[in-house]
Amino acid sequence: MSTTAKAHGMDGTLVEPDWPPLTFEEVRSLLAQFPECGEPVEILSVSPRPFSAASVVSTRSERVFIKRHHRSVRDTEGLLEEHRFMAYLHAHGAPVPRVFAASAGNTAIENGEWTYEVHEASKAVDLYKDAISWTPFQCAAHAYSTGQTMARLHLASQGFAAPLRKPRPLVSGFTIFAAHDIHAAAYLYLDARPALRNDPDARDGFRQALDLLAPFHAELLPLLPSMLPLWTHNDLHASNLLWSGSGPDAQAAAVIDFGLADRTNAVHDLAQAVERNIVEWLVLVQDPACEDVPIHLDHLNALLEGYESVHPLSSEEAAALAPMTALCHAEFALSEADYYLGVLHSPEKARLASVDYLVGHANWFLSNRGQTLLDALRVWTKSHEHHHHEVGKQ
């Protein structure tokens, strides 16, 4: 296969990857530690995702998915946080690929500056393999199936009692806006991430975003006690699902890529799915003054209907979804800026995360177009309350 590899850029274009693709010799050396996987035969694909290097590899016995991280992004401890969660979900019936253990028993392998993991490669269809975050579902039926799958994940996750992840790049947590005093929480967040704390653009963007998002935090604050802690995926874009087929009737068959997972709550995870799939943010990257960013409200309603067909939200959780949708992007944008500053040493990319994404999206939620999305969520909340009231009377 061609050795030319491209990665998804921050503006939606394909760019040179930050990390070199996996080589066959590298794969052969790694899989020698995983005898149950068999010897590699061919590297079948090169993932375009930007934060690591990954490939599907055929071996003499099966296909496996191999991912390589820089140790500053994911060391063994960081990967094991994810693997323990995936193993719990798998054991509780969720459609999550198995992570292979090496002959020594470990699922995360460190070698020099790199950390590796090896997963089973699902036979399901990678229908959205070229789609990036902030691009829409192909149809409302896919949104409905995604909602159902997220609800099943949440049910399977109940009882997984691991604590919050340690501060590390590229995790989508919920700590700042989970606090009563967001400025004190912001100080703690920055203090744990020196690369962010020491960057004037990041600090200034953070301060602007806190001011812009304060009204949404005030709306969420009285509802916070109803947000039960839960380990969640936090990036359930359509591209992190594998599918039963390639048509509009395809069902989500497997959930992949738990890199952003952390202990948040069900509403946060659902809000992230809204943020990732329903708003075409890349239009703002190309035209920051655009007043008509596409919003897919039919997909939004299908996603929520699918979720509630499996696991209905409480009335407080439903009411929290609108403000949470405005807030949920903030910690990942900051974590991304931390990655660009602390790992890639790229102030230019960090500014895109801390200014264009963090501040730009916060501003958008206060615009007419942003209010259109939030109003749709509030209308859904009212219909949710009415439906549950009627059901309660029966």
Side-chain angles (χ1 to χ4, degrees):
M1 62 173 292
S2 169
T3 56
T4 303
K6 293 290 185 180
H8 291 151
M10 297 180 77
D11 61 355
T13 61
L14 290 174
V15 298
E16 291 301 312
D18 293 318
W19 305 110
L22 292 161
T23 68
F24 190 80
E25 285 308 310
E26 183 181 17
V27 165
R28 187 202 302 275
S29 174
L30 176 69
L31 288 182
Q33 301 176 67
F34 293 82
E36 74 170 301
C37 295
E39 292 181 35
V41 175
E42 184 184 2
I43 294 177
L44 298 175
S45 68
V46 177
S47 171
R49 301 191 182 198
F51 301 130
S52 60
S55 290
V56 175
V57 176
S58 66
T59 75
R60 296 199 183 281
S61 55
E62 61 187 310
R63 293 187 315 145
V64 297
F65 178 71
I66 299 174
K67 202 167 185 179
R68 184 231 291 138
H69 310 262
H70 194 268
R71 279 183 63 177
S72 60
V73 181
R74 287 293 179 273
D75 56 11
T76 297
E77 182 186 23
L79 278 187
L80 290 180
E81 291 172 337
E82 299 165 23
H83 293 174
R84 284 189 286 267
F85 181 40
M86 293 177 71
Y88 185 91
L89 291 172
H90 190 275
H92 287 78
V96 175
R98 187 162 69 95
V99 183
F100 288 106
S103 51
N106 44 325
T107 58
I109 304 290
E110 285 192 3
N111 183 14
E113 63 183 322
W114 306 115
T115 314
Y116 297 85
E117 54 185 326
V118 182
H119 300 228
E120 68 176 344
S122 171
K123 293 180 174 60
V125 178
D126 194 357
L127 185 53
Y128 288 82
K129 65 182 178 182
D130 296 321
I132 58 176
S133 281
W134 307 339
T135 53
F137 293 106
Q138 292 179 11
C139 59
H142 290 177
Y144 186 88
S145 182
T146 298
Q148 290 183 311
T149 301
M150 173 175 279
R152 293 186 186 113
L153 274 188
H154 290 172
L155 291 172
S157 177
Q158 291 176 1
F160 184 69
L164 283 170
R165 296 180 77 164
K166 294 186 177 179
R168 57 180 84 255
L170 303 176
V171 169
S172 195
F174 178 61
T175 59
I176 297 164
F177 294 106
H180 281 253
D181 185 341
I182 56 176
H183 293 280
Y187 177 82
L188 292 173
Y189 188 94
L190 286 178
D191 203 43
R193 295 161 180 83
L196 270 184
R197 186 186 63 217
N198 297 330
D199 184 77
D201 286 331
R203 288 199 313 269
D204 187 52
F206 198 1
R207 278 195 297 269
Q208 288 184 58
L210 286 179
D211 290 342
L212 291 166
L213 295 171
F216 302 115
H217 179 253
E219 185 181 349
L220 181 67
L221 197 55
L223 301 166
L224 281 174
S226 67
M227 308 287 103
L228 299 177
L230 186 75
W231 265 75
T232 52
H233 185 280
N234 300 324
D235 190 21
L236 212 63
H237 184 260
S239 61
N240 280 331
L241 294 162
L242 302 177
W243 297 80
S244 62
S246 55
D249 58 346
Q251 299 291 302
V255 184
I256 60 172
D257 198 351
F258 283 77
L260 305 191
D262 202 354
R263 189 170 183 257
T264 66
N265 56 70
V267 178
H268 180 271
D269 204 22
L270 196 48
Q272 289 280 19
V274 172
E275 191 266 352
R276 294 284 193 273
N277 296 284
I278 304 304
V279 184
E280 293 194 40
W281 295 107
L282 292 176
V283 172
L284 271 187
V285 176
Q286 290 141 15
D287 178 11
C290 178
E291 295 181 0
D292 195 25
V293 173
I295 306 168
H296 298 270
L297 295 181
D298 55 335
H299 294 178
L300 172 67
N301 288 321
L303 177 77
L304 299 176
E305 285 173 20
Y307 186 94
E308 291 224 306
S309 73
V310 174
H311 184 42
L313 297 172
S314 70
S315 59
E316 292 84 5
E317 288 174 321
L321 187 55
M324 187 74 86
T325 298
L327 298 169
C328 70
H329 76 284
E331 280 194 40
F332 181 66
L334 288 165
S335 185
E336 207 175 31
D338 183 43
Y339 165 79
Y340 289 127
L341 289 167
V343 177
L344 294 187
H345 308 293
S346 173
E348 297 79 13
K349 288 184 175 180
R351 272 195 294 275
L352 275 172
S354 62
V355 178
D356 293 43
Y357 290 3
L358 179 59
V359 179
H361 293 190
N363 265 315
W364 183 85
F365 278 111
L366 293 166
S367 72
N368 289 336
R369 198 70 180 140
Q371 288 298 314
T372 297
L373 172 60
L374 297 180
D375 286 347
L377 284 166
R378 293 183 180 114
V379 167
W380 174 82
T381 297
K382 287 187 172 62
S383 67
H384 176 280
E385 289 172 358
H386 176 74
H387 172 73
H388 283 264
H389 178 69
E390 291 301 310
V391 168
K393 290 199 303 188
Q394 292 174 9

